Amino acid sequence: EGGIRVPTIVSCPKLFSPRKEDTPVQIIDWLPTIGRFAQVKIRESESVDGFDLSDLLLHQREIPDRSIYTVGPNWRSVSLRDRRWKLIQHQKGESVIRELYDLIDDSQERHNVASQHPEVVSRLRLNLVEIAMSDRDSVVDLGAE
């Protein structure tokens, strides 16, 4: 499942007190976050993936809504979490299998609702293709039918 539901634990008692956050974060968020804490300036010519979480951690300020894009080994599976929805695409030979989960109603991802929400699948699939195209490492066709 690509680590989308894996908890993150951050401990820095001198900067912030213990609490629970429900904000989804990604491993790529830690480079800009730790860079800010370390006062590292990133040149405009350098592109860094991820979102700086320091305002969330220090001041409990919400971060903007964003899609979370995850790629599995060899791009055989990719996923996109967009608010309540999670689209997963699996490459099986020449075919693409798509699964859609409503994370609010089905946080355990037990019920694939792709057939009940084709418009959501279509929208997320287009977003997934667009994000993958901007991913410098992306080298595979994601089944843009």
Side-chain angles (χ1 to χ4, degrees):
E1 74 135 86
I4 288 181
R5 292 181 300 174
V6 175
T8 298
I9 299 172
V10 179
S11 177
C12 193
K14 291 183 181 180
L15 292 179
F16 41 85
S17 55
R19 68 180 188 275
K20 179 184 176 197
E21 286 285 344
D22 291 322
T23 303
V25 300
Q26 250 183 318
I27 194 167
I28 62 173
D29 296 330
W30 295 113
L31 178 62
T33 303
I34 293 169
R36 181 157 177 208
F37 284 136
Q39 298 178 347
V40 173
K41 297 223 187 256
I42 298 171
R43 289 179 244 145
E44 282 188 34
S45 62
E46 295 175 331
S47 176
V48 175
D49 290 336
F51 188 84
D52 178 358
L53 302 171
S54 57
D55 280 343
L56 172 70
L57 296 171
L58 294 171
H59 310 294
Q60 299 180 16
R61 289 189 192 126
E62 289 187 23
I63 64 172
D65 270 340
R66 66 199 171 130
S67 297
I68 295 182
Y69 163 71
T70 307
V71 179
N74 299 317
W75 280 269
R76 288 187 306 246
S77 293
V78 294
S79 71
L80 185 68
R81 177 182 175 159
D82 185 57
R83 295 177 191 91
R84 79 180 296 152
W85 302 106
K86 178 179 172 186
L87 176 69
I88 304 171
Q89 288 192 169
H90 305 283
Q91 192 77 33
K92 300 263 186 179
E94 294 295 314
S95 64
V96 176
I97 298 168
R98 293 186 180 94
E99 300 172 19
L100 179 69
Y101 297 98
D102 182 336
L103 299 176
I104 291 174
D105 293 339
D106 180 21
S107 64
Q108 298 299 307
E109 300 175 24
R110 293 188 177 134
H111 306 286
N112 180 359
V113 295
S115 62
Q116 290 98 332
H117 299 280
E119 72 289 348
V120 175
V121 171
S122 180
R123 178 177 57 83
L124 293 181
R125 184 180 58 78
L126 292 173
N127 289 352
L128 182 60
V129 169
E130 183 179 312
I131 291 169
M133 297 290 280
S134 68
D135 182 359
R136 283 174 276 153
D137 302 327
S138 188
V139 293
V140 75
D141 178 9
L142 293 175
E145 300 157 358

